[in-house]
Amino acid sequence: PPRANNCPNPGCDGDELAQVPLSRRGTLWSYTENRYPPPAPYPAPDPFEPFAIAAVQLADEGLIILGKVVDGTLAEDLEVGMEMELTTMTLYVDDDGVERVVYAWRIAR
């Protein structure tokens, strides 16, 4: 999320931050599978279903970005070095019927 006057790097000596677009594709650097529901207050489906988390090295920047993998893709479907792309998915629907959408990785098409 955007930050104002708050550099997360303790070595920063300035307060000016700029938004920079990042690549939407990269290479799968590492991954794991979450096999237990997150603690409150984070929502989890009932019954809970395991999900994969991927660390993807962005194609142009070389940064490694950690994020959830789309529903239906588990660790057994992933392999280090495969190409991944950023998409969106519904994380959950709240009590008011509002769909909560997040970024997620998927195997590149």
Side-chain angles (χ1 to χ4, degrees):
R3 297 176 185 236
N5 301 324
N6 181 11
C7 180
N9 180 348
C12 281
D13 56 3
D15 289 333
E16 291 188 34
L17 302 176
Q19 289 190 24
V20 177
L22 298 174
S23 305
R24 295 181 52 127
R25 295 176 76 96
T27 303
L28 185 60
W29 185 78
S30 185
Y31 59 92
T32 190
E33 193 167 282
N34 194 30
R35 302 199 60 80
Y36 59 90
Y42 302 103
D46 186 20
F48 173 77
E49 294 184 24
F51 60 89
I53 298 172
V56 176
Q57 186 169 20
L58 299 183
D60 295 334
E61 299 83 358
L63 294 170
I64 296 173
I65 306 294
L66 185 66
K68 187 171 180 174
V69 178
V70 294
D71 291 340
T73 302
L74 295 174
E76 65 189 20
D77 305 313
L78 301 172
E79 184 177 323
V80 168
M82 69 188 334
E83 194 167 348
M84 304 291 286
E85 63 185 357
L86 193 63
T87 189
T88 57
M89 64 174 269
T90 300
L91 183 62
Y92 69 98
V93 177
D94 69 17
D95 295 336
D96 296 324
V98 176
E99 186 178 40
R100 301 301 177 169
V101 177
V102 296
Y103 289 108
W105 293 108
R106 72 175 172 207
I107 298 169
R109 299 178 181 171

